[in-house]
Amino acid sequence: MELKVFRFRPGMSGPRYDSFEIDPVPGMTVLAGLFRAQEKDDTLAFRYSCRGAVCGTCAMLINKVPRLACRTQVQDLLEGKAPVQLSPYPALEVTVPLDSRKEVLIEPLPHLPVIRDLIVDMSLFFEYYRFIEPVFSPAGPEPEKERPMSPAAVKELVPYTNCILCGACFGACPVNARNPHYLGPAALATLYRFHIDPREAGGAPRLRRADTPDGWWGCEFHTNCRRVCPKGVPPNVAIGRARQEIKAASRSAEGRGAGR
Amino acid sequence: MAGYISPEEGTGITEGAISAWDAVIIGGGLTGLRAALQVSRAGLSVAVISKVHPLRSHSVAAQGGMNAALGNVLGEGGAADSWESHAYDTVRGSDYLADQDAVALMCREAPATVIELEHMGTVWSRLGDGRIAQRPFGGAGFPRTCYAEDRTGHNVLHTLYQQVLGRKIPVFEEFFVTSLVMDGGRCAGCTALEIMTGAIHGFASRATLLATGGFGRIFSRSTNALINTGDGVALALRAGAPLKDMEFVQFHPTTLYGTNILISEAARGEGGILVNRTGERFMARYAPHALDLAPRDVVARAIEEEITRGNGFDGGYVQLDLRHLGAGRIMERLPGIRQIAMDFAGVDPVKEPIPVQPGQHYSMGGIDVNTGGMSGLPGLYAAGECACISVHGANRLGGNSLLETVVFGRLVADSMIRDIPSVAEPARGPVESAMAGTETGIRKILGRSGGDSPFALLHELEETMFLHFGIFREGQKMQEGLRKIKRLQERSLQVTLSNKESAVNQALVRYLELEGMLQLAEVVALGALAREESRGSHTRRDYPHRDDGRFLAHTVATMEKGKVTIDYKPVGLGMFEIEERGY
């Protein structure tokens, strides 16, 4: 089989695609395949760390789906298993011919500038993460022991605390493709995580931070984010609920205004 | 072309620069970030340098939890846990090689540490009454391990990273530290290669903390992230700091067959059992009381014995069976484990047992430091897995490493904060000459031709360490391994990269890692050869018993002019009697 890999370095007018012939081994992941390719051409650049789908380093566009390279089995791709249907956006358009029974196409995560080959500059993604102020701000003074939390409340939070900030959702979002100012699914999901943390109740009014056209209101509910998330985080649910709450709050404020 | 960065736009080649700080922290995992917060809160200037984005640090992969005698869950017969009991379990688990004062300090600080993280926002799993939940772990007399499902490291690391963002602490991401700057015997900062641009930077600092994690990747079959190459330990060794107990390498009993991704001890803490090919729960023969929850060294040896005796499955593994826990409990308490088994072995633990084998997991040894994190060199501190304080001795208990990172991240920062005011501002001269030295060194490496690739040597090193310094060790086999390591060291001097650029040259980074790994491998080998006994994780077929007369002592290794010397120093005792260790 062959890995067809996007190559780019500063000075090139555009990308080129290099093919690497790899002996497929059972259980081989795309990341493992990339390491073999790198042993043949040590100028090939890609990020890696945990190789176990927990650190979020190696999100890239694999056969036109943003995924973690370390979690994606080469054999599954060749056999066409577990296809992911996505709402279209420009990065998914055909760039290069692909025989998906013999080849795997590997390109950098969309919507972020390419530094080299498969390495993108994540600055914008983390700028939006910082923008939502992801710092726990509890209400009231610090107790001596833990602030109690019901297991049910924990269960509500966990889908969002599971985010590993890999950026797959950012690279899968048709709105991010069009609007570089849109905060994106991961940042919004994190903001919602703090909003629903019962230990913050009565603290900072969190939802307002993204009550803008580039925040909660930018989402078009393509739900690509949910479909590509390697950790099952549902940003679309967070965004939908946030919008409902904001609407409800403004309705009740209007109601109060009318009654005055 | 829009969307691509051109050289003029900034992330192209930039000039290296010297910056000056009160404290520089090398490593952005739990220890590094916790220390950075502490130094920043004290009003001192601090920078974090990491070869990866902090959230990609290996801390993120810790699954099972953090031990603390909160006493939220009572033990057998309604007994309440205590820090003394935690300390006793830790010392016994260490096979009496841990320093008892360091262990006492860690265990006393543990409950406040878990609470502190809760106050920073960590979403710990909870009991029905809202308090932090705790579960049983190997070698522990009480359900003591606090956890966030089976993603504890992920949750705590994200919490600390968020706090670091909140304080706007500068983080130099994807900077590979190439040397410690020494000025008259004192550590005065470091130099670093900015991986994305190839620029060499200088960091002058009054205090430098190494928090770079373990060196597990010198072994094949490791649970560790690919980045765990022991860079900080090698930096310290080269700068002249002593290393301690480097031969004590933990092999985790349950790593996923095929990829050696960790299957947390929490799986057994929740009730999972190990079975061999005949379906026998074999731990009953090796640890009749503690069974599957005996300490890791005991369980790893048992599995390896079973495999050696032909009781394993074809390919060399046993099975970890969780099915009797039921789908509900697996999905609630071990969702990450289930995901890993499904993603990487195609096995759903709700329906099938998980194939597991032992694999390298943790470096008990490291930079020799005291409880204040001070190394043998003034100005240089170390904490976390790269350090050896020693709270783990010859065998670490599950749930104690996350604890160590956060406790000592804070306490060592405190000792830096105490020392910094009396240190003069470091001179620029030594930093400049270290930068020039790094530049020359890198130019030389890139200029070579005709040698092996770094990848080939790395594979040979990993295999050598696994085969000759694995779970069961033996003198002659280790001698042979040491000779192989020496030959690899010689060959490494000729390693040749096809990539001749300094910017985004990952082969260069791999080579710089490899240089250190080969030095650490030698120290592990020499320590293991000299220690003619079996203690904790260090098991010698030719010396099967613990020998307190000769070896109730820490191994201390130093390197001078490329030559490693092994010596010993006493273990801190006094709180608990030395006993035979049975489970």
Side-chain angles (χ1 to χ4, degrees):
Chain A
M1 61 92 38
E2 278 184 8
L3 300 182
K4 207 166 216 179
V5 184
F6 176 106
R7 305 297 303 269
F8 175 81
R9 42 172 299 134
M12 281 168 65
S13 60
R16 70 164 198 268
Y17 288 82
D18 282 355
S19 285
F20 295 92
E21 179 77 40
I22 308 281
D23 286 336
V25 185
M28 187 169 78
T29 62
V30 169
L31 185 69
L34 283 171
F35 278 115
R36 289 177 178 228
Q38 196 178 46
E39 292 189 14
K40 298 175 184 204
D41 175 356
D42 69 8
T43 65
L44 175 62
F46 55 91
R47 286 198 182 96
Y48 58 86
S49 178
C50 80
R51 69 79 175 82
V54 291
C55 79
T57 307
C58 64
M60 45 188 85
L61 192 65
I62 301 169
N63 281 6
K64 298 293 182 185
V65 176
R67 324 177 200 236
L68 296 179
C70 72
R71 184 174 174 253
T72 307
Q73 298 283 331
V74 169
Q75 203 56 40
D76 288 354
L77 294 174
L78 299 178
E79 289 171 11
K81 278 190 197 159
V84 181
Q85 295 300 327
L86 297 178
S87 278
Y89 55 99
L92 302 191
E93 284 162 21
V94 175
T95 38
V96 61
L98 180 74
D99 179 351
S100 61
R101 289 161 307 171
K102 282 188 286 199
E103 292 175 319
V104 172
L105 179 62
I106 311 175
E107 298 170 289
L109 191 65
H111 312 152
L112 293 164
V114 176
I115 294 173
R116 180 75 56 93
D117 299 341
L118 302 171
I119 296 180
V120 294
D121 183 347
M122 299 281 287
S123 305
L124 190 64
F125 176 76
F126 279 105
E127 185 186 317
Y128 294 156
Y129 179 70
R130 284 194 300 274
F131 175 82
I132 61 98
E133 297 173 345
V135 187
F136 184 59
S137 312
E142 204 145 275
E144 195 191 327
K145 295 216 162 166
E146 66 264 51
R147 290 186 171 82
M149 232 178 143
S150 71
V154 170
K155 209 169 175 180
E156 289 288 307
L157 278 174
V158 163
Y160 305 107
T161 57
N162 277 347
C163 173
I164 58 175
L165 294 172
C166 65
C169 54
F170 197 90
C173 178
V175 181
N176 282 121
R178 217 176 45 235
N179 176 8
H181 304 292
Y182 176 48
L183 295 176
L188 291 170
T190 307
L191 177 51
Y192 188 72
R193 165 253 177 277
F194 284 104
H195 167 65
I196 62 170
D197 192 322
R199 299 170 296 177
E200 280 204 1
R206 290 271 188 184
L207 290 187
R208 236 184 269 162
R209 188 74 185 149
D211 187 9
T212 62
D214 295 326
W216 305 118
W217 306 99
C219 173
E220 294 169 2
F221 296 102
H222 296 282
T223 68
N224 282 3
C225 52
R226 172 72 182 80
R227 275 177 267 171
V228 300
C229 179
K231 295 287 142 186
V233 181
N236 52 312
V237 174
I239 295 166
R241 288 184 183 164
R243 285 189 186 185
Q244 279 173 1
E245 283 189 45
I246 291 168
K247 278 189 205 158
S250 78
R251 268 198 304 273
S252 78
E254 274 169 28
R256 279 200 303 276
R260 215 174 278 149
Chain B
M1 195 171 164
Y4 302 108
I5 289 175
S6 69
E8 308 85 70
E9 280 176 38
T11 352
I13 303 294
T14 53
E15 282 298 306
I18 298 183
S19 54
W21 307 86
D22 290 320
V24 160
I25 293 171
I26 305 173
L30 291 178
T31 302
L33 297 187
R34 183 62 191 86
L37 281 177
Q38 195 75 353
V39 175
S40 170
R41 285 175 185 170
L44 299 170
S45 71
V46 56
V48 175
I49 307 176
S50 170
K51 70 175 177 179
V52 293
H53 185 287
L55 291 179
R56 317 313 184 195
S57 304
H58 185 54
S59 303
V60 82
Q63 296 170 355
M66 186 180 283
N67 295 338
L70 293 178
N72 287 358
V73 179
L74 299 177
E76 273 175 45
D81 198 3
S82 65
W83 73 261
E84 289 92 344
S85 173
H86 182 184
Y88 171 71
D89 289 341
T90 301
V91 168
R92 195 162 79 107
S94 83
D95 220 346
Y96 298 93
L97 192 65
D99 288 312
Q100 298 185 6
D101 58 336
V103 172
L105 178 60
M106 179 176 79
C107 297
R108 266 202 314 263
E109 293 290 333
T113 299
V114 169
I115 298 299
E116 163 192 273
L117 290 167
E118 196 281 327
H119 288 169
M120 292 183 196
T122 300
V123 182
W124 296 104
S125 292
R126 301 294 177 133
L127 299 169
D129 66 6
R131 290 178 303 154
I132 293 170
Q134 299 186 278
R135 64 180 160 206
F137 245 56
F142 287 85
R144 182 181 294 138
T145 307
C146 309
Y147 57 98
E149 294 187 313
D150 53 0
R151 302 181 179 107
T152 312
H154 160 84
N155 277 285
V156 177
L157 186 66
H158 279 244
T159 298
L160 289 179
Y161 180 66
Q162 290 161 351
Q163 295 288 319
V164 163
L165 288 184
R167 294 200 67 89
K168 298 189 167 56
I169 296 171
V171 179
F172 293 85
E173 289 165 21
E174 298 181 321
F175 276 52
F176 184 89
V177 173
T178 47
S179 71
L180 296 174
V181 176
M182 297 304 294
D183 184 7
R186 184 180 175 82
C187 179
C190 65
T191 60
L193 166 71
E194 183 180 358
I195 298 171
M196 292 301 156
T197 66
I200 307 294
H201 297 262
F203 295 84
S205 59
R206 292 180 156 95
T208 303
L209 172 65
L210 289 167
T212 52
F215 50 88
R217 281 283 161 184
I218 68 173
F219 288 84
S220 63
R221 292 199 193 173
S222 173
T223 63
N224 287 190
L226 300 163
I227 58 171
N228 286 26
T229 48
D231 313 322
V233 187
L235 284 170
L237 178 70
R238 282 200 289 266
L243 307 185
K244 188 159 77 194
D245 295 339
M246 289 288 284
E247 64 272 30
F248 292 99
V249 174
Q250 179 162 81
F251 296 87
H252 196 287
T254 59
T255 79
L256 193 62
Y257 176 66
T259 53
N260 299 104
I261 294 172
L262 178 65
I263 300 295
S264 170
E265 192 164 301
R268 282 170 287 132
E270 295 290 352
I273 58 168
L274 292 161
V275 293
N276 62 21
R277 67 185 295 170
T278 66
E280 182 201 1
R281 187 181 185 181
F282 56 85
M283 280 310 300
R285 276 188 278 119
Y286 296 89
H289 302 289
L291 296 166
D292 301 277
L293 274 185
R296 290 173 177 176
D297 56 335
V298 176
V299 184
R301 272 192 297 271
I303 295 175
E304 195 71 5
E305 280 287 350
E306 287 299 295
I307 294 169
T308 313
R309 290 182 190 171
N311 295 338
F313 293 83
D314 285 348
Y317 63 89
V318 297
Q319 290 183 333
L320 175 62
D321 199 346
L322 306 182
R323 289 174 298 181
H324 55 285
L325 303 182
R329 195 175 175 90
I330 292 173
M331 290 191 209
E332 189 199 334
R333 303 281 183 90
L334 303 164
I337 288 304
R338 178 167 181 249
Q339 191 72 51
I340 287 168
M342 295 200 298
D343 287 349
F344 294 96
V347 165
D348 180 352
V350 171
K351 298 183 192 132
E352 290 171 83
I354 309 172
V356 293
Q357 66 181 185
Q360 189 285 340
H361 182 57
Y362 187 83
S363 313
M364 264 83 68
I367 302 157
D368 181 13
V369 294
N370 63 16
T371 50
M374 297 154 89
S375 75
L377 304 174
L380 182 65
Y381 303 74
E385 192 175 346
C386 74
C388 182
I389 281 186
S390 147
V391 287
H392 308 306
N395 175 63
R396 175 173 72 76
L397 293 190
N400 270 352
S401 69
L402 281 193
L403 178 63
E404 180 195 13
T405 61
V406 185
V407 167
F408 288 102
R410 171 167 55 88
L411 295 181
V412 172
D414 282 341
S415 88
M416 294 163 69
I417 293 163
R418 189 193 57 223
D419 297 348
I420 284 170
S422 59
V423 179
E425 192 173 322
R428 286 174 68 96
V431 182
E432 278 167 4
S433 58
M435 286 165 73
T438 295
E439 295 240 31
T440 314
I442 288 177
R443 213 173 302 132
K444 258 190 208 159
I445 295 164
L446 296 176
R448 286 183 206 149
S449 59
D452 295 297
S453 90
F455 309 108
L457 263 68
L458 182 59
H459 295 319
E460 286 184 49
L461 172 64
E462 291 169 347
E463 281 309 307
T464 301
M465 295 308 289
F466 173 74
L467 287 173
H468 297 270
F469 302 94
I471 296 178
F472 289 105
R473 297 170 171 176
E474 191 268 316
Q476 211 172 350
K477 211 163 138 196
M478 289 196 288
Q479 286 289 0
E480 205 182 302
L482 179 60
R483 282 194 294 275
K484 286 188 186 174
I485 294 166
K486 299 300 285 183
R487 275 201 299 277
L488 286 171
Q489 287 177 344
E490 283 162 29
R491 278 165 64 198
S492 77
L493 301 175
Q494 301 307 321
V495 159
T496 300
L497 315 178
S498 311
N499 190 344
K500 302 295 184 195
E501 287 181 84
S502 51
V504 209
N505 188 338
Q506 292 178 314
L508 174 63
V509 173
R510 298 301 280 273
Y511 175 71
L512 295 172
E513 291 169 345
L514 176 68
E515 280 185 315
M517 293 164 89
L518 286 165
Q519 288 167 331
L520 300 184
E522 182 184 350
V523 178
V524 171
L526 291 172
L529 270 162
R531 186 173 283 273
E532 296 175 333
E533 66 158 353
S534 289
R535 181 186 300 271
S537 68
H538 174 68
T539 312
R540 288 192 59 161
R541 295 270 195 206
D542 45 357
Y543 295 94
H545 302 292
R546 195 173 82 190
D547 183 350
D548 288 333
R550 288 174 68 202
F551 291 108
L552 182 58
H554 294 297
T555 308
V556 178
T558 41
M559 190 168 80
E560 212 179 337
K561 293 186 181 127
K563 194 175 160 17
V564 178
T565 315
I566 298 286
D567 203 352
Y568 295 92
K569 74 178 198 183
V571 175
L573 305 172
M575 191 171 170
F576 304 107
E577 292 284 324
I578 312 286
E579 294 166 2
E580 272 308 311
R581 184 167 164 260
Y583 286 93

